[in-house]
Amino acid sequence: MEKHPQHCQVVVALDMIVGKWKPIILQHLIIGGTKRFNELRRLMPDITQRMLTLNLRELEEQDIIERVVYPEVPPRVEYSISEYGKSLEPLLDSMHEWGMAHLEHMKKKEKELGADDKSS
Amino acid sequence: MEKHPQHCQVVVALDMIVGKWKPIILQHLIIGGTKRFNELRRLMPDITQRMLTLNLRELEEQDIIERVVYPEVPPRVEYSISEYGKSLEPLLDSMHEWGMAHLEHMKKKEKELGADDKSS
DNA sequence: CGGCATCCTCCATGATACTG
DNA sequence: CAGTATCATGGAGGATGCCG
């Protein structure tokens, strides 16, 4: 295992979770467990049906979530984090924590800018 | 401190490093240390001057990197990871490792599909 | 050398309507 | 309920030329 592989695989990880909705979908499925399609819609009132479908399909394709269709009437489809998807949880947790810390950092910065305004 | 803050701050962290080039720029500055503008260009032959400038400016604005201008002729501008930016390193490392593991996962998957391919 | 100013392209996302 | 099918759009990214 090299220390400096040619190409940084950060982008590989990034590709799995980027997008306006993917992180939020994952958060809901991780924290809230299995959810039906319309449950997710209710949890994310601003997402369109189209984008929810597309994102769920991508995440499924990526093995991150599982999609189970129950052949009932009315239809029921349940989404959940896959076993493999769970390997992302530590990463998402770290990112969440860093995000929180960053918001603090920004607040401090703002204050400094207010107080520190005598610097040339 | 709540356990389930209203909004997942994963997106906050994500915002700092998403983009086609930001992760790569960061990787170079982290691994290779301080770099001049054109050094970075050489390291990323496919990035346009415009995007390199824009991304560097954003990262600077976000306190992630530092930009030092030497008033010489010809001009010299050096970029480096800031102290604060270093707090991103563990995250980037984790993402890199997850990315590597994911590539392995994909390879395995492909093989399975190959062996499993009695359909059509 | 290290930019900035324009113009352009394409893709992620969105709005809306329809359906098994 | 859980989707598809179209069409529209804004913004990230790119190409190119000029500048101190």
Side-chain angles (χ1 to χ4, degrees), chain A residues 20-71:
Chain A
K20 189 169 175 183
W21 301 105
K22 274 189 191 175
I24 304 169
I25 293 173
L26 290 176
Q27 202 85 346
H28 281 303
L29 291 181
I30 287 171
I31 292 177
T34 301
K35 292 269 174 275
R36 298 179 60 167
F37 187 82
N38 276 359
E39 280 187 281
L40 288 171
R41 281 191 76 189
R42 276 188 286 278
L43 290 168
M44 296 174 286
D46 289 345
I47 197 175
T48 61
Q49 240 173 8
R50 168 186 160 76
M51 287 318 293
L52 182 53
T53 303
L54 285 178
N55 281 316
L56 288 170
R57 287 296 200 282
E58 269 183 58
L59 289 168
E60 186 196 4
E61 180 73 17
Q62 293 163 332
D63 274 353
I64 300 298
I65 67 174
E66 269 162 20
R67 176 174 182 265
V68 180
V69 181
Y70 295 88

Side-chain angles (χ1 to χ4, degrees), chain A:
Chain A
M1 188 76 86
E2 305 159 81
K3 281 190 180 149
H4 301 160
Q6 199 89 317
H7 298 294
C8 84
Q9 308 309 25
V10 172
V11 301
V12 174
L14 230 33
D15 272 352
M16 308 295 283
I17 54 177
V18 286
K20 189 169 175 183
W21 301 105
K22 274 189 191 175
I24 304 169
I25 293 173
L26 290 176
Q27 202 85 346
H28 281 303
L29 291 181
I30 287 171
I31 292 177
T34 301
K35 292 269 174 275
R36 298 179 60 167
F37 187 82
N38 276 359
E39 280 187 281
L40 288 171
R41 281 191 76 189
R42 276 188 286 278
L43 290 168
M44 296 174 286
D46 289 345
I47 197 175
T48 61
Q49 240 173 8
R50 168 186 160 76
M51 287 318 293
L52 182 53
T53 303
L54 285 178
N55 281 316
L56 288 170
R57 287 296 200 282
E58 269 183 58
L59 289 168
E60 186 196 4
E61 180 73 17
Q62 293 163 332
D63 274 353
I64 300 298
I65 67 174
E66 269 162 20
R67 176 174 182 265
V68 180
V69 181
Y70 295 88
E72 308 172 354
V73 177
R76 180 158 57 107
V77 180
E78 290 188 347
Y79 295 92
S80 56
I81 294 290
S82 71
E83 271 313 306
Y84 183 61
K86 287 178 184 169
S87 70
L88 268 175
E89 289 187 25
L91 207 51
L92 291 170
D93 286 348
S94 301
M95 296 182 67
H96 180 81
E97 274 176 48
W98 194 92
M100 300 277 284
H102 181 62
L103 293 183
E104 288 307 310
H105 176 80
M106 303 266 286
K107 271 195 224 165
K108 250 190 276 176
K109 253 267 165 165
E110 261 179 51
K111 267 195 234 165
E112 281 178 27
L113 284 181
D116 204 43
D117 226 356
K118 39 205 153 192
S119 70
S120 47

